[in-house]
Amino acid sequence: MNTTLPLAAAQPPAASARPRLAAWRSPALRLASIVLCLIAWHLATRYRWDLGLLTFRNVPSPTDVAEAAWALAQSPQVAQHLGASLARVFSGFGIAAVIGIGLGLLIGRLRWAEDTLLPPLEVLRPIPAVAWIPLAILMFPSSEASMVFITFVGALFPILLNTVHGVEAVDPRLIASARSLGAGRLALFAEVVLPGALPSIVTGLAIGMGTAWFCLVTAEMISGQFGIGYYTWMSYTIQNYADIIVGMLLIGLLGMGSSALVRRAGAALMPWRRGDRP
C-alpha cells in the first residue's frame, strides 16, 4: 500500500501559515510605528512637556492639526496649491533626471569627462538651495522658472553621484567578458554597464525626488502665489502653527509617495532583483 502523502497534506499547518503571517507583519509594524508617534505627539502637547532644550508648550496638538488639515481640504485653493507644487517638483526632477543620468554615465565611463566635469560639479554640490535664490532671480526672467530651477538643483546631485558610483561599481570582469565575446561599445553599454548601474541610478532618483520636495519651500519663497511650500511659509509669517505642520506633513507625504513611485518604476525595470530581500 502506498503511504506517501500529497505534498500539500504533508506540510504542517504552521509552515503554510508562516508566509501569510510574514505578509501582514511588515504593514502592521509600520502602522504601529505611526500610531506610537501620534500618541507621543499627543501626550507631549497635552501635558506641555518641557525637556529643557526641547519644549512642547506652544506646539499644536494632533487635533489642532487635523482641524487645520480639514479646513485646507475644504478650501477652494487646495487644488491650486497641490497642482502648482506638483508641477514645479516634477518639472525640476524630470530635468535633473535627464541631465544627472546623462552626465553620470559620461563621467563614470570616460576619464576625460571625470577630470573636466566632476570638479566644478563637486564645488557646486555643497551649496544649499536657499543660496541659489538670488542667482536664480537674476538668471531667469520668470519666477516660475526660478522655482523649477531650485527644485532642479536639489534633485540633480543625488542622481548624478549615484549614477557615477553605479557605473564605477560595475564588475570589470563582466565588461572584459562581454568584450571577449565581441560586444561593441553600444552593446557593452546597453547590456552590461547600464543594467549593472541601474540599481544605483534608481536609488539616486528616489533620493533626488525626496530632495526636490525638500527644496520646495525654498523654491516657493521666491515669489510663489500658490503651492504647499508657499502655504507653509505664509503660515509661518502669520504664526499659524497648525497650518505650518499641515504643510510640513503634506510635503512629507507627497515626497514619500513620489519616491515610492520612483522605486516601483525602478523595480519594474529590474525584474532580476525581485525577491532579493527576505
Side-chain angles (χ1 to χ4, degrees):
M1 183 177 64
N2 187 6
T3 59
T4 303
L5 294 175
L7 180 61
Q11 293 178 346
S16 61
R18 193 173 297 123
R20 293 195 297 269
L21 180 61
W24 283 99
R25 183 181 301 162
S26 181
L29 287 175
R30 297 182 184 193
L31 179 60
S33 68
I34 294 175
V35 171
L36 288 175
C37 288
L38 288 173
I39 292 173
W41 178 13
H42 169 74
L43 293 175
T45 55
R46 172 69 176 81
Y47 295 103
R48 306 295 181 187
W49 288 355
D50 190 347
L51 307 178
L53 295 176
L54 181 66
T55 181
F56 290 87
R57 290 183 177 179
N58 299 316
V59 176
S61 68
T63 304
D64 296 333
V65 174
E67 292 174 355
W70 179 247
L72 176 63
Q74 293 180 310
S75 170
Q77 293 184 340
V78 64
Q80 292 174 301
H81 285 312
L82 289 172
S85 291
L86 288 169
R88 291 161 187 160
V89 167
F90 279 95
S91 297
F93 172 79
I95 299 170
V98 172
I99 295 177
I101 293 175
L103 286 176
L105 293 173
L106 194 65
I107 292 171
R109 286 294 297 159
L110 301 175
R111 175 68 65 180
W112 68 263
E114 181 180 0
D115 293 337
T116 57
L117 298 177
L118 192 58
L121 289 169
E122 283 290 342
V123 172
L124 298 176
R125 182 170 63 91
I127 301 174
V130 68
W132 287 96
I133 290 179
L135 189 59
I137 294 173
L138 292 175
M139 290 192 305
F140 298 97
S142 165
S143 61
E144 196 66 32
S146 300
M147 290 184 278
V148 171
F149 173 74
I150 296 297
T151 59
F152 157 78
V153 169
L156 174 64
F157 294 105
I159 298 172
L160 171 67
L161 293 180
N162 275 274
T163 302
V164 172
H165 293 325
V167 173
E168 292 177 343
V170 175
D171 193 340
R173 291 173 296 182
L174 295 176
I175 297 176
S177 298
R179 283 176 176 165
S180 67
L181 293 173
R185 288 190 175 183
L186 184 60
L188 186 68
F189 173 80
E191 298 180 19
V192 179
V193 175
L194 189 58
L198 195 55
S200 185
I201 293 174
V202 172
T203 300
L205 289 171
I207 298 172
M209 178 62 81
T211 54
W213 282 104
F214 175 80
C215 294
L216 182 65
V217 177
T218 302
E220 294 180 343
M221 280 170 54
I222 296 176
S223 60
Q225 295 181 346
F226 293 102
I228 302 302
Y230 171 78
Y231 168 83
T232 305
W233 178 249
M234 289 304 298
S235 300
Y236 168 74
T237 59
I238 62 176
Q239 297 183 349
N240 196 338
Y241 301 121
D243 287 343
I244 294 173
I245 297 180
V246 171
M248 291 169 59
L249 291 176
L250 265 177
I251 292 172
L253 290 172
L254 290 171
M256 180 183 68
S258 52
S259 294
L261 287 176
V262 170
R263 287 192 294 269
R264 284 189 174 274
L269 294 173
M270 300 181 293
W272 62 88
R273 289 178 60 89
R274 292 174 187 168
D276 283 355
R277 294 180 62 180

